[in-house]
Amino acid sequence: MASAAEQLASNLNFAAFAKAEDLKKRIWFTIGALLVYRLGTYIPLPGINPDAFAQAFSSQSKGVLGMFNMFAGGAVQRMAIFALGIMPYISASIIMQLMTSVIPSLEALKKEGEQGRKIINQYTRYGTVLLALIQAYGISIGLEGGNGIVNDPGMFFRISTVVTLVGGTMFLMWLGEQITARGIGNGISLIIFSGIVAGLPRAISGTLELGRTGALSTGLILAIIVLAIVVIALIVFFERAQRRLLIQYPKRQVGNRMFQGDTSHLPLKLNTSGVIPPIFASSLLLLPATVAGFSQATNLPAWASTILASLGHGQPLYMIFYAGMIVFFAFFYTAIVFNPKDTADQLKKHSGFIPGYRPGERTAEYIDYVLTRITVIGAIYLVLVCLLPEFLISATGVPFYLGGTSLLIVVSVTLDTVAQIQGHLIAHQYEGLIKKSKLRGGKRSR
């Protein structure tokens, strides 16, 4: 009975998808926009020697450059026009979120609704341009300092590099906004998603090649596949997990009519901070090694060399700091994006209350109490998922590309996109029912 019902539901969804012309146009637009992005990751910057840069990049691929290259879909490794990717926009968005929590004028703009959100988005764009200018100029200086990377160093090369890289970032920001408005899913997230997934075939082929040559046993490869499936299921479970607080609304009278009290739920996500903690932790931990590598400092003190070696991938000190920083940023970012006091004030404004707690300060304290405890579970979950690739790399030497932060992003974006597709299907079915009811009503009136 249950399987038959599920089969019928899937058939209805497929039939609704076949008839949803607007949804199909949105999907095709999204695919086309992502193809444009992928093509741009193969167009190199003018004035550089790709072979010399590839040789220089290989020595720094395990630092911050490797992580940025993953998010940029390989554009950093090829030093393409999209080498900066969308990361300046993400950094500007995070900085703006932090500023709205500490600057009263920006906090007031945030509460003004749609108009305030547009102004904050405009400030975010300005911040993106500023960050992209700084990063692009730094990249141009770094390229000129490389051995034989730049064919004709000078001011013209720096200006052309800055204009090209900043223009590439602004184009990606515009493309992401177009995908959000005219396509399916969050455009910025889908651009990062496509960049990460683009490296998956190479990682799979590399692992299979190691199995063919005997470097990895068949049993170990099968165990990795099973483990990847288990981790994906775990991420899906925790990303969907919520703690729902019961909210009650009392009876109210409007005119001469008496409305019964209503109940609803306040959903608190188990992982409120998302993928921000692993990204911040990885960037800060990999930055010292990357700077030391670029400076090519061979006369570092013994203690500095020891610390840098201890902060390498798979080292115990690296894992301890990585786990601690993930936990810290999980609590820090949750406190930034979710304010229990504002939530309690909104409930009080609409006459809602949590049973057993007085509206106002007591409700805010209870929400903060619950949020703190579920954030502990969410932080532990992030630590386990992000440290798993490190243990695999250090223990077996497996090139476990799709792990940690990248796996979190891929699964989260997939869940959000599927939810939006289902929302469009439901809206299409609802519109179809309304049209049918109107036609039937017209026939009856005749």
Side-chain angles (χ1 to χ4, degrees):
M1 181 75 69
S3 60
E6 292 174 358
Q7 183 65 32
L8 177 61
S10 63
N11 291 337
L12 290 175
N13 288 334
F14 181 77
F17 178 79
K19 296 178 182 178
E21 295 297 330
D22 179 67
L23 176 60
K24 288 191 285 187
K25 289 180 181 178
R26 285 178 173 272
I27 293 176
W28 281 115
F29 179 85
T30 303
I31 294 174
L34 294 179
L35 285 176
V36 171
Y37 160 64
R38 290 304 303 155
L39 288 175
T41 61
Y42 287 90
I43 302 175
L45 275 176
I48 67 170
N49 184 342
D51 295 331
F53 177 78
Q55 184 177 359
F57 176 84
S58 61
S59 62
Q60 300 296 327
S61 59
K62 293 184 179 181
V64 176
L65 288 182
M67 187 181 69
F68 286 166
N69 184 60
M70 177 186 68
F71 291 143
V76 177
Q77 183 178 3
R78 294 182 284 271
M79 193 43 64
I81 59 175
F82 291 160
L84 280 182
I86 205 68
M87 294 306 292
Y89 177 78
I90 295 175
S91 301
S93 301
I94 295 172
I95 292 172
M96 190 57 61
Q97 282 185 335
L98 297 176
M99 293 177 66
T100 53
S101 301
V102 297
I103 299 179
S105 58
L106 291 178
E107 188 175 3
L109 273 178
K110 185 179 179 180
K111 296 179 179 179
E112 288 183 3
E114 183 66 22
Q115 188 62 30
R117 187 181 64 83
K118 289 182 179 179
I119 297 176
I120 291 177
N121 286 343
Q122 195 63 29
Y123 288 160
T124 304
R125 294 188 183 99
Y126 294 150
T128 302
V129 175
L130 179 61
L131 290 177
L133 283 170
I134 296 173
Q135 294 178 14
Y137 186 76
I139 288 175
S140 66
I141 298 297
L143 291 175
E144 286 186 340
N147 185 17
I149 295 178
V150 179
N151 297 326
D152 188 15
M155 186 56 65
F156 180 76
F157 170 77
R158 297 179 187 177
I159 294 175
S160 65
T161 299
V162 169
V163 171
T164 303
L165 291 178
V166 174
T169 295
M170 300 310 295
F171 175 79
L172 288 182
M173 183 179 68
W174 174 84
L175 190 66
E177 292 176 350
Q178 293 301 309
I179 293 174
T180 302
R182 302 170 60 186
I184 289 291
N186 183 286
I188 303 299
S189 299
L190 282 173
I191 288 176
I192 299 176
F193 168 87
S194 63
I196 294 173
V197 172
L200 185 58
R202 178 185 298 179
I204 294 176
S205 63
T207 303
L208 295 178
E209 180 64 20
L210 290 176
R212 188 186 66 83
T213 57
L216 293 177
S217 64
T218 304
L220 181 58
I221 294 177
L222 292 176
I224 292 172
I225 295 174
V226 173
L227 183 61
I229 295 173
V230 172
V231 172
I232 290 173
L234 183 71
I235 292 175
V236 171
F237 173 79
F238 276 94
E239 291 299 322
R240 287 176 170 266
Q242 295 178 346
R243 171 72 161 88
R244 296 186 176 185
L245 302 181
L246 179 65
I247 306 296
Q248 290 187 348
Y249 296 91
K251 295 180 180 180
R252 64 188 188 278
Q253 185 174 357
V254 180
N256 295 325
R257 298 184 61 184
M258 178 65 72
F259 291 89
Q260 294 293 327
D262 195 10
T263 60
S264 65
H265 292 88
L266 174 65
L268 300 177
K269 285 192 64 177
L270 194 66
N271 180 26
T272 307
S273 58
V275 298
I276 299 301
I279 292 176
F280 274 18
S282 300
S283 301
L284 292 178
L285 278 176
L286 295 175
L287 187 60
T290 303
V291 172
F294 268 123
S295 63
Q296 296 179 354
T298 56
N299 56 347
L300 285 174
W303 61 268
S305 301
T306 303
I307 292 177
L308 287 176
S310 301
L311 290 176
H313 272 297
Q315 299 298 321
L317 186 62
Y318 172 85
M319 293 185 183
I320 292 172
F321 274 102
Y322 191 28
M325 295 176 73
I326 288 176
V327 173
F328 169 77
F329 284 119
F331 278 92
F332 178 77
Y333 196 72
T334 298
I336 292 297
V337 300
F338 191 94
N339 191 331
K341 188 176 184 303
D342 290 345
T343 304
D345 291 341
Q346 288 295 323
L347 289 175
K348 185 177 181 180
K349 180 180 178 182
H350 295 89
S351 302
F353 64 94
I354 298 176
Y357 298 91
R358 290 194 304 271
E361 186 176 350
R362 286 286 297 144
T363 299
E365 291 176 357
Y366 176 69
I367 294 175
D368 183 66
Y369 172 85
V370 175
L371 187 64
T372 300
R373 276 146 186 79
I374 64 174
T375 303
V376 171
I377 301 175
I380 294 174
Y381 143 72
L382 287 176
V383 168
L384 292 178
V385 172
C386 293
L387 286 185
L388 177 62
E390 303 296 333
F391 284 119
L392 284 174
I393 293 173
S394 61
T396 64
V398 175
F400 196 73
Y401 174 83
L402 195 65
T405 308
S406 58
L407 188 58
L408 284 171
I409 294 174
V410 169
V411 176
S412 301
V413 173
T414 302
L415 290 175
D416 292 340
T417 306
V418 170
Q420 288 205 24
I421 292 176
Q422 290 176 344
H424 280 281
L425 287 175
I426 293 173
H428 177 76
Q429 290 176 330
Y430 182 71
E431 291 174 358
L433 290 174
I434 292 178
K435 290 180 181 179
K436 287 181 180 179
S437 63
K438 287 182 178 179
L439 289 175
R440 290 173 182 172
K443 291 179 180 180
R444 289 176 182 175
S445 63
R446 291 178 185 176

